[in-house]
Amino acid sequence: MELNGKVALITGAASGIGHGIAQRFAKAGGRVCIADLNIDAAKSAAAQIGGDDVAIAVAMDVTNEEQVRAGVDAAAKAFGTIDILVSNAGIQIVHPIEEFPFEDWKRLLSIHLDGAFLTTKACVKYMYPQKSGALIYMGSVHSHEASPLKSAYVAAKHGILGLARVMAKEGAKHNVRANTICPGFVMTPLVEKQIPQQAHDLGITEQRVVDDVMLGETVDKQFTMISDVAEVALMLASFQTNALTGESIVVSHGWFMN
């Protein structure tokens, strides 16, 4: 699985899963644009990966159409084109629905869904004329399953699955593939923050949140690793044909089985 100089724009890539994917892409011979709300962290992440010929950083609020367009154009100007989009930026907010602030609902859906829509719209401008490209969306086991306290997140991740399937159909004539990665719980700051929140809201210990809520349905009580997700992203990015499009690949230690 090699990328041979292909250019990937990865949102939310200053840390966590996005950064892991960026590192793996660069190792496979790709060039990466670290798009993140925190430009200082994005610059640091890009510098860690390599020089400007391998990794660059752009400031991007994925809910702002002008920032998305400018960031994608800047990446294309620096590297010549955009071959791969990894729509990864996301947040998590948990509440029982009767206590869920509407503003939080709208903010979470905007980052996940508006962000995926806007980055897709901006990137296919480069992919369609060159008749090649890979759209990779970060879904979740919650693209298929539901959990208490996560009404906004589950709704957003189900929506991501729908967008990817539409793009598989729209992109096919341009040889642009669209797929969704659906990880289980990955030990990132996003997940670490959930543990005390869910313990409080569910009235259980933090250890029970980990053992019963997060890992209870896995086959081996193990967290999914960032490296696991990055390997799947590389496979999707390097795949050559429309034989693999419109699919969701679940990386969850057996929590959800298609």
Side-chain angles (χ1 to χ4, degrees), residues 110-184:
S110 182
I111 291 169
H112 288 265
L113 290 177
D114 294 352
F117 166 77
L118 291 172
T119 52
T120 299
K121 183 179 178 182
C123 287
V124 296
K125 179 176 71 175
Y126 295 96
M127 295 176 180
Y128 282 1
Q130 68 192 18
K131 293 294 182 181
S132 67
L135 302 168
I136 301 171
Y137 300 94
M138 196 56 62
S140 166
V141 168
H142 287 108
S143 297
H144 299 278
E145 291 276 6
S147 291
L149 311 178
K150 296 185 177 181
S151 53
Y153 189 80
V154 171
K157 291 306 189 182
H158 273 64
I160 289 291
L161 208 58
L163 174 63
R165 289 167 173 169
V166 169
M167 290 313 304
K169 291 181 178 290
E170 289 193 14
K173 64 184 177 183
H174 306 286
N175 197 33
V176 172
R177 304 173 309 284
N179 292 287
T180 307
I181 303 175
C182 296

Side-chain angles (χ1 to χ4, degrees), residues 3-190:
L3 293 181
N4 300 316
K6 288 185 177 179
V7 179
L9 184 132
I10 307 169
T11 65
S15 62
I17 292 173
H19 185 52
I21 292 172
Q23 289 177 307
R24 186 66 185 94
F25 280 11
K27 187 176 178 181
R31 294 174 290 169
V32 296
C33 176
I34 308 294
D36 203 279
L37 194 61
N38 185 334
I39 186 58
D40 291 333
K43 288 179 178 178
S44 176
Q48 181 186 356
I49 291 170
D52 289 346
D53 57 331
V54 175
I56 63 169
V58 298
M60 186 180 292
D61 175 351
V62 297
T63 69
N64 183 305
E65 185 169 15
E66 181 53 42
Q67 280 196 32
V68 170
R69 187 186 305 115
V72 170
D73 288 346
K77 182 177 180 180
F79 289 137
T81 189
I82 303 292
D83 298 297
I84 303 155
L85 166 67
V86 181
S87 178
N88 168 75
I91 62 170
Q92 177 63 282
I93 303 172
V94 295
H95 294 292
I97 196 163
E98 69 273 16
E99 299 173 9
F100 215 119
F102 187 37
E103 288 304 313
D104 284 350
W105 166 276
K106 290 189 290 184
R107 183 163 70 97
L108 189 148
L109 263 66
S110 182
I111 291 169
H112 288 265
L113 290 177
D114 294 352
F117 166 77
L118 291 172
T119 52
T120 299
K121 183 179 178 182
C123 287
V124 296
K125 179 176 71 175
Y126 295 96
M127 295 176 180
Y128 282 1
Q130 68 192 18
K131 293 294 182 181
S132 67
L135 302 168
I136 301 171
Y137 300 94
M138 196 56 62
S140 166
V141 168
H142 287 108
S143 297
H144 299 278
E145 291 276 6
S147 291
L149 311 178
K150 296 185 177 181
S151 53
Y153 189 80
V154 171
K157 291 306 189 182
H158 273 64
I160 289 291
L161 208 58
L163 174 63
R165 289 167 173 169
V166 169
M167 290 313 304
K169 291 181 178 290
E170 289 193 14
K173 64 184 177 183
H174 306 286
N175 197 33
V176 172
R177 304 173 309 284
N179 292 287
T180 307
I181 303 175
C182 296
F185 282 103
V186 182
M187 188 48 77
T188 63
L190 189 70

Side-chain angles (χ1 to χ4, degrees), residues 134 136 177 179-181 232-239 244 249:
I136 301 171
R177 304 173 309 284
N179 292 287
T180 307
I181 303 175
V232 174
L234 177 59
M235 182 268 291
L236 292 173
S238 60
F239 204 85
L244 183 55
I249 299 181

